[in-house]
Amino acid sequence: MSSEEPELYGAPSAESLYEETVENYRRFLNPPLARVMKLSGSPLESSAQGSIIVDHTGKTYLDFAGGYGVFTVGHRHPRVVAAVKRQLDLIALSGKTMFNPLQGRLARRLAEIAPGDLEISFFSNSGAEAVEGSVKLARAATGRSTIVATHNAFHGKTVGALSASGREAFQTAFRPLLADVVHVAFGDASVLDRALTDAACFIVEPVQGEGGVVVPPEGYLRAARAACDRSGALFIADEVQTGLGRCGALFACNSDGVVPDVMALAKGLSGGVVPIGAYIARPNVWNAAYGKAPLVHTSTFGGSELACAAALAALDVLRDEDLVENARSRGEQLIAGARRIGEAFPDVIADVRGRGLLVGVELRSEGYVGTIVPEMLKDGVTVAWTLNQQRVLRLEPPLIVTEGEVEVALAALERAVRVAFERFGALAEAQPAGGRP
Ligand code: PLP
């Protein structure tokens, strides 16, 4: 098979592989999701490189969904792939009974680049698990139980992370969740002193991603830091989506000059190749929790050699290719272009906002999403909505995206918005912009 031919996994044709996969999803994975994906024209992902995904028919797509933040260095960056292949020939998963040199190096590297004196890392396999570890650490370190989180937040779907998330629709079926979790308005520091009295922690995304790309007012994180200092609650920055350059700074909390007590990472840390998450904590915090109990919080797979090799290579690429700066400048281009489209179609687009290459286009009605996403797909551009706010389209390309690729995506957005407007006219819904779900 030449490298141009699609990988068919033994199926007789690309079309039969598509039918087989849809049927497998329909019967053995998630029947309603299979229906929605089929209706919206979702193809098979067949291969990917850089900012481009190739489907089972050979059609190429610019990836502006970006794995919801996973593909910061793009798909299969050659340096990440080479590091993982090299490691595969040595040892793949950690046996945990011996020292793992790459885990040590990755922890040191994170300590070097993280804000302030964040220094001690724990490695997980996902963002939710990094959040679980963070809130457990806060409870253990402070001896307090209350977790203060924000409405509309998204921290993941394991029970602890879900408890801190702020979307009722994801929570109802699983109640009772963790006890002693309090939610406050995102962006309003005036409520924090009261809420944080005797609290273990305040957990917050520096920019709410799944909540609809909501950027808090200037100074909010600094004020939250000060409120945590007054109450003795730990400040947990959930940078699972915003971290590692996504928002045009290495960490989004850097923009406000804030040093959290604990920071959660995942997504981009994987280099888009092997899943890995982490929390990184101040030494005094970590020691207060686990200084005498090193095995109280562990993970069998967390911090494997393969994952650490991918993460170390991804951090090299981020630095050597100046991707944080690219996220900042391409983000400005993307936001400005999307705002121009918003001005041309004010009945469809209510707001465009974001930071770096985490950009949200808020539509006036969810009714437009079902047209805009597939129309952009037809033009070869993938986008997605945000989990807590389905009428906010996210534009979240790899940080390697070029000026020309941003223009291609904007042209596709403009055409799709025009089609949606011609199809439905004005569909305004009486919901506040960036409001609670
Ligand atoms: N925290 C934030 C801010 C996220 O955006 C996400 C996922 O979107 C998570 C946590 C959960 O990460 P994962 O899906 O890897 O568990």
Side-chain angles (χ1 to χ4, degrees):
M1 194 184 92
S2 88
S3 59
E4 278 77 42
E5 287 170 355
E7 169 59 74
L8 296 179
Y9 305 99
S13 68
E15 204 38 52
S16 68
L17 182 63
Y18 178 77
E19 292 306 330
E20 175 201 320
T21 307
V22 172
E23 180 65 1
N24 285 339
Y25 268 60
R26 199 185 62 71
R27 289 188 58 199
F28 305 115
L29 280 166
N30 191 327
L33 182 65
R35 252 192 319 277
V36 172
M37 287 177 74
K38 184 148 195 216
L39 272 176
S40 65
S42 184
L44 301 187
E45 51 187 13
S46 194
S47 64
Q49 185 76 61
S51 300
I52 304 292
I53 304 176
V54 184
D55 80 6
H56 64 293
T57 68
K59 180 173 170 176
T60 58
Y61 302 82
L62 252 182
D63 186 4
F64 265 61
Y68 312 148
V70 167
F71 298 108
T72 55
V73 300
H75 292 264
R76 296 197 313 118
H77 191 288
R79 288 178 68 182
V80 180
V81 169
V84 170
K85 282 186 172 165
R86 194 167 53 240
Q87 188 55 41
L88 198 51
D89 284 334
L90 294 171
I91 182 167
L93 297 181
S94 172
K96 299 276 167 165
T97 57
M98 300 182 191
F99 287 115
N100 162 352
L102 294 188
Q103 193 171 163
R105 275 199 190 156
L106 180 58
R108 174 184 283 267
R109 190 71 183 279
L110 288 180
E112 283 164 3
I113 62 173
D117 58 345
L118 289 175
E119 200 159 273
I120 300 194
S121 284
F122 170 82
F123 292 110
S124 66
N125 305 281
S126 68
E129 211 191 322
V131 168
E132 293 285 336
S134 302
V135 296
K136 281 181 71 182
L137 178 70
R139 282 186 166 180
T142 60
R144 301 172 176 183
S145 65
T146 300
I147 295 161
V148 180
T150 58
H151 291 300
N152 204 29
F154 188 81
H155 297 295
K157 290 179 179 163
T158 53
V159 170
L162 184 63
S163 306
S165 292
R167 185 169 184 212
E168 188 59 38
F170 290 147
Q171 295 170 318
T172 309
F174 308 103
R175 291 198 183 280
L177 293 166
L178 276 192
D180 302 335
V181 180
V182 174
H183 286 90
V184 296
F186 178 71
D188 180 1
S190 71
V191 296
L192 287 177
D193 274 327
R194 186 144 178 258
L196 286 171
T197 310
D198 291 332
C201 63
F202 175 53
I203 179 166
V204 69
E205 298 156 87
V207 174
Q208 282 191 336
E210 301 304 327
V213 188
V214 186
V215 183
E218 164 72 29
Y220 173 62
L221 297 181
R222 268 196 307 279
R225 172 73 269 180
C228 286
D229 290 341
R230 283 191 291 275
S231 74
L234 300 185
F235 187 112
I236 302 176
D238 180 348
E239 295 244 17
V240 165
Q241 186 154 188
T242 54
L244 300 171
R246 171 59 51 192
C247 290
L250 196 47
F251 301 102
C253 61
N254 287 159
S255 313
D256 258 5
V258 159
V259 179
D261 296 296
V262 187
M263 183 165 72
L265 299 172
K267 294 194 186 275
L269 191 61
S270 66
V273 173
V274 185
I276 182 167
Y279 73 66
I280 172 161
R282 288 183 144 152
N284 61 328
V285 168
W286 194 90
N287 281 320
Y290 303 133
K292 294 199 177 79
L295 296 178
V296 163
H297 185 75
T298 58
S299 159
T300 297
F301 288 127
S304 73
E305 278 87 344
L306 277 187
C308 291
L312 282 163
L315 293 175
D316 286 346
V317 172
L318 211 59
R319 178 196 58 211
D320 296 348
E321 297 188 12
D322 214 1
L323 295 184
V324 179
E325 171 53 26
N326 198 52
R328 203 191 53 72
S329 50
R330 296 286 68 80
E332 280 172 7
Q333 178 194 356
L334 186 57
I335 291 177
R339 284 199 175 134
R340 274 194 299 277
I341 298 168
E343 280 158 20
F345 294 94
D347 290 321
V348 180
I349 294 180
D351 191 23
V352 174
R353 53 180 179 260
R355 205 184 266 170
L357 283 171
L358 180 55
V359 177
V361 176
E362 178 165 335
L363 306 172
R364 290 205 185 272
S365 163
E366 253 179 65
Y368 294 121
V369 174
T371 295
I372 292 175
V373 174
E375 286 298 322
M376 289 186 76
L377 207 60
K378 275 190 206 157
D379 278 354
V381 179
T382 65
V383 292
W385 57 82
T386 57
L387 271 177
N388 288 355
Q389 289 284 357
Q390 295 200 345
R391 67 196 174 96
V392 178
L393 291 178
R394 79 171 83 221
L395 306 176
E396 200 173 355
L399 309 189
I400 57 168
V401 74
T402 65
E403 191 176 345
E405 288 170 337
V406 169
E407 289 308 318
V408 168
L410 286 169
L413 176 66
E414 181 164 16
R415 193 192 67 76
V417 167
R418 178 173 289 117
V419 171
F421 184 61
E422 284 166 2
R423 197 169 285 169
F424 300 111
L427 282 179
E429 276 172 9
Q431 256 183 315
R436 286 168 57 180

